[in-house]
Amino acid sequence: MGPVRPARTQAERRRHTRQALLDAVLLQLEAGESFDALSLRSVARAAGVVPTAFYRHFESMDALGLALVEESFRTLRAMLRDAREGLPPEQVIHRSVEILMEHVRQHRAHFIFVVRVGYTGNVVLRHAIRGEIRLFTSELATDLARFPVLREWTTDDLQMLAGLLVNTMIATVGATVDAPVAAPAAEAEIARVAAKQLRLTMLAVPHWRSERSPR
Amino acid sequence: MGPVRPARTQAERRRHTRQALLDAVLLQLEAGESFDALSLRSVARAAGVVPTAFYRHFESMDALGLALVEESFRTLRAMLRDAREGLPPEQVIHRSVEILMEHVRQHRAHFIFVVRVGYTGNVVLRHAIRGEIRLFTSELATDLARFPVLREWTTDDLQMLAGLLVNTMIATVGATVDAPVAAPAAEAEIARVAAKQLRLTMLAVPHWRSERSPR
DNA sequence: TGTACATCAGTGAACGCGCGTTCACTGATGTAC
DNA sequence: TGTACATCAGTGAACGCGCGTTCACTGATGTAC
């Protein structure tokens, strides 16, 4: 056998280069760069192609960023799916936090992208991410509606609660990706606080009077 | 009388230029730029001085950023002080949100700086801001300890609660500064949700069993 | 108060560099017959 | 299967531009006597 010939067909090579460009950005973000400070040339260089090749795949860095928004939220939705299935009622919170931390560990770059670029100056990407977070929150609200205690809550109140939980999640992710990689102690501490905050929040639920508007 | 002679003494002129540089950055952030994308030259230009004059005041853009961290947190502490005084117990939450929104309106640029740069790629500024937020959270925890319901809580639990409240505050500020300036309807909606979230959180407080470690 | 010198905020020219984008191109893969 | 042509991912040279930083400077304000 000779050396493995990578990417036999044109389509394969094309997909491969495109992913290399996306990954180059994620890698630079993980290394602490700001998205707005990344140059098209540095990304092309890191992906192993000439700057002009970039344009075969994306019209601009913003367009590449939008592709990363999609890719990242595919990860976040997968997480929600995992949570939907893996939640024995008696330890919802503990397992939720575990699933979150697990996903952050395995898709660190996607989470960094979302929490960091979601607050960046770049208005296009910021709005794209905030829009996705709103959708994500709505999905969570729908999931919450299935819990017996929450069945009678109004949509508005469910959104409010989901928003609160997502805020906690975002703050937790922010703290996690800010801590040194693979610092189990710091990570455990962050998870512990997050679980407490979620437990406190859920403690309020049975006492909330969610008022349906008169029919 | 002739035209007003601004900044008679050297010290005055110096202070004036320094502030013009800081304000130039805040203005560009408000206009939607990312801190990491700002150039020393564009800042000097906006402040009305030649690029080299910049160095008379700051060693680098990072140094200027750290000065802005200080300036911004002076604003946030002033807010906490206002809250400490202006809170009739029967409407703590309503007033807190009002005070927050009021301060965001009046120091929009400082809040933009904190929520945006606190998540940026720039590691120096991000850590500086996150450190200040941690201090800010601790101060809030101390204030919380004065409420009768919370008097028996452990320090760790107070920190946890303060963190939760600060998270809500940060998310609220993020949503506010992301909305178009002077959109009273959007702002009112954001404030309404924030108040609900804080009310829900505080609803849990009497039901939380804060366990002191055995003496 | 007057003079001589020191300080120092701001100037302006110059540098080398990496940037985004254009253009005409190459050569391997794909396709029609 | 073989041939002739089309497609198109990636190349490489070139452009004008704004960048951060250096340097020697200017001239108004400050200070010592």
Side-chain angles (χ1 to χ4, degrees):
Chain A
M1 287 192 298
V4 181
R5 295 217 17 232
R8 183 177 266 88
T9 69
Q10 260 194 20
E12 276 170 333
R13 291 171 63 83
R14 185 176 166 74
R15 244 179 295 122
H16 182 265
T17 302
R18 186 188 136 96
Q19 197 57 50
L21 289 166
L22 292 170
D23 291 347
V25 169
L26 289 178
L27 212 73
Q28 291 190 57
L29 288 180
E30 262 193 282
E33 288 294 317
S34 155
F35 184 86
D36 298 277
L38 295 183
S39 71
L40 183 153
R41 285 180 101 102
S42 77
V43 171
R45 206 180 303 127
V49 293
V50 115
T52 41
F54 183 98
Y55 293 106
R56 294 275 171 207
H57 299 275
F58 303 102
E59 201 187 66
S60 62
M61 283 292 289
D62 269 15
L64 183 151
L66 290 174
L68 277 180
V69 174
E70 282 189 40
E71 197 180 279
S72 298
F73 275 89
R74 232 174 290 138
T75 297
L76 266 79
R77 283 177 210 296
M79 184 178 75
L80 216 52
R81 223 175 308 121
D82 278 19
R84 214 172 277 141
E85 288 160 11
L87 290 188
E90 69 283 4
Q91 41 176 329
V92 197
I93 286 163
H94 181 73
R95 277 295 294 145
S96 294
V97 173
E98 231 173 48
I99 289 170
L100 176 62
M101 298 308 270
E102 181 65 20
H103 275 256
V104 173
R105 241 176 269 125
Q106 294 200 350
H107 304 276
R108 193 177 169 87
H110 284 155
F111 284 86
I112 288 179
F113 179 76
V114 169
V115 300
R116 201 171 288 169
V117 182
Y119 286 92
T120 293
N122 188 312
V123 74
V124 173
L125 295 182
R126 194 172 71 233
H127 282 143
I129 288 180
R130 301 206 148 223
E132 289 286 341
I133 288 179
R134 232 171 285 128
L135 286 179
F136 184 86
T137 304
S138 286
E139 275 190 51
L140 178 58
T142 308
D143 286 352
L144 288 174
R146 287 195 253 278
F147 284 85
V149 250
L150 293 166
R151 204 163 287 141
E152 291 305 312
W153 280 37
T154 63
T155 304
D156 189 70
D157 283 353
L158 283 172
Q159 287 284 336
M160 177 275 290
L161 175 60
L164 191 49
L165 299 174
V166 169
N167 288 348
T168 303
M169 197 183 103
I170 291 175
T172 303
V173 170
T176 307
V177 299
D178 216 43
V181 191
E187 221 183 89
E189 170 63 12
I190 292 165
R192 193 183 64 79
V193 173
K196 261 193 170 183
Q197 291 177 332
L198 294 176
R199 229 179 296 127
L200 181 70
T201 303
M202 296 313 287
L203 206 55
V205 165
H207 305 283
W208 182 261
R209 296 210 52 74
S210 187
E211 315 238 311
R212 295 190 167 283
S213 53
R215 122 215 69 83
Chain B
M1 288 190 295
V4 181
R5 292 217 21 230
R8 183 177 266 88
T9 71
Q10 260 194 17
E12 276 170 334
R13 291 171 64 83
R14 186 176 165 78
R15 245 179 296 121
H16 182 266
T17 302
R18 187 189 136 95
Q19 197 58 48
L21 289 166
L22 292 169
D23 291 348
V25 169
L26 289 177
L27 212 73
Q28 291 191 56
L29 288 179
E30 260 193 284
E33 288 295 317
S34 155
F35 183 85
D36 298 278
L38 295 184
S39 70
L40 183 154
R41 284 179 99 101
S42 76
V43 171
R45 207 180 303 127
V49 291
V50 114
T52 41
F54 183 98
Y55 294 106
R56 293 274 171 208
H57 299 276
F58 303 103
E59 200 186 67
S60 63
M61 282 292 288
D62 270 14
L64 182 151
L66 290 174
L68 277 180
V69 174
E70 282 187 42
E71 197 180 280
S72 298
F73 275 89
R74 231 173 290 138
T75 296
L76 266 80
R77 283 177 209 296
M79 184 178 74
L80 216 52
R81 222 174 309 121
D82 277 19
R84 214 171 279 143
E85 288 161 10
L87 289 187
E90 69 283 5
Q91 41 177 329
V92 196
I93 287 165
H94 181 73
R95 277 294 294 146
S96 294
V97 173
E98 230 173 50
I99 288 170
L100 176 62
M101 298 308 269
E102 181 64 20
H103 275 256
V104 174
R105 241 174 271 124
Q106 294 200 350
H107 304 276
R108 194 177 168 87
H110 283 156
F111 284 87
I112 287 180
F113 180 76
V114 169
V115 300
R116 200 171 288 168
V117 181
Y119 286 93
T120 294
N122 190 311
V123 73
V124 174
L125 295 183
R126 195 172 71 235
H127 283 144
I129 288 181
R130 300 204 149 225
E132 288 287 342
I133 288 179
R134 232 171 285 129
L135 286 180
F136 183 85
T137 305
S138 286
E139 275 189 51
L140 178 58
T142 307
D143 285 351
L144 288 174
R146 287 195 252 278
F147 284 84
V149 249
L150 293 166
R151 204 163 287 142
E152 291 304 312
W153 280 37
T154 64
T155 303
D156 189 70
D157 283 354
L158 283 173
Q159 287 284 335
M160 177 275 289
L161 175 60
L164 191 48
L165 299 174
V166 169
N167 288 348
T168 303
M169 196 184 106
I170 290 174
T172 302
V173 170
T176 308
V177 299
D178 216 41
V181 191
E187 222 182 88
E189 170 64 12
I190 292 165
R192 193 183 65 78
V193 173
K196 261 193 171 184
Q197 291 177 330
L198 294 176
R199 229 179 298 127
L200 181 71
T201 304
M202 295 314 285
L203 206 54
V205 165
H207 305 283
W208 182 260
R209 295 209 54 74
S210 188
E211 315 237 311
R212 297 192 165 282
S213 52
R215 122 218 67 84

